[in-house]
Amino acid sequence: MRSPGGSAYAVPVFEIGSRARTLPAPPGVVWDSLVAPRRAGTRPWLHLLADEVEPSVLTAEKPGRVTWSSLWPSRPDDRILFGLTAARDGGTLLRFTLLTPGEAPDQSKTGHLRRRLNQLLFADLRHSYGQ
C-alpha cells in the first residue's frame, strides 16, 4: 500500500490530520527550517513540550518534501509529511499530513496532535520569519 506521501508501507497507513497554510518565506528557506530547525543563525521556533521529542528527518527532497519522525514517544510510528509549494506572493504554501500505520488515537489525542503541529508550524515557525 502507498501512503499519501508516496512511500511504501507493508501495513495500511491512516491520515489523522492535515492542514495547509501559507508562510511568508520562500520554499527553500522553509525547507531549510524543517530540515535543520536548530541551525545556528536562525531564530528558534521548535519549542517542544515535556511529552515531545526532537524529530528526525527521515526523507528530504529540496525544495518540496520533508518527512519527520514522530514528535511523540507515545506514538513512535507516526510520521509527519510536509509538502512545500511556491505561493503567488513569494512565500510558501506548507501542508503537513500526520500519518499513522497503527491505530488512530481517540478524538482528544488527535485534536492535541493537530493543535501542536498548527502551533509549531503556523505560529512559531511563522514568527521566526518575523511575522
Side-chain angles (χ1 to χ4, degrees):
M1 172 172 252
R2 292 223 171 252
S3 73
S7 52
Y9 282 91
V11 296
V13 177
F14 303 99
E15 179 180 313
I16 55 178
S18 184
R19 173 168 265 179
R21 294 283 187 266
T22 57
L23 296 175
V29 172
V30 176
W31 188 89
D32 288 341
S33 295
L34 294 171
V35 171
R38 303 210 189 276
R39 186 178 38 154
T42 62
R43 292 181 187 174
W45 66 271
L46 188 62
H47 307 292
L48 300 173
L49 299 178
D51 68 338
E52 298 171 342
V53 296
E54 189 89 13
S56 297
V57 175
L58 302 175
T59 64
E61 300 170 28
K62 194 168 189 173
R65 293 179 88 82
V66 176
T67 305
W68 277 1
S69 64
S70 179
L71 296 169
W72 303 281
S74 65
R75 301 196 52 82
D77 296 327
D78 292 353
R79 298 292 177 258
I80 306 160
L81 305 179
F82 299 102
L84 299 84
T85 55
R88 292 183 184 180
D89 63 1
T92 301
L93 177 65
L94 175 65
R95 172 175 296 280
F96 78 79
T97 305
L98 180 58
L99 301 172
T100 187
E103 192 172 316
D106 64 32
Q107 285 186 339
S108 175
K109 182 70 167 183
T110 297
H112 170 73
L113 302 178
R114 291 175 184 159
R115 275 190 302 279
R116 281 300 294 150
L117 288 171
N118 282 316
Q119 175 67 41
L120 289 170
L121 300 168
F122 304 126
D124 299 346
L125 180 57
R126 171 184 299 286
H127 292 142
S128 79
Y129 301 132
Q131 292 192 358

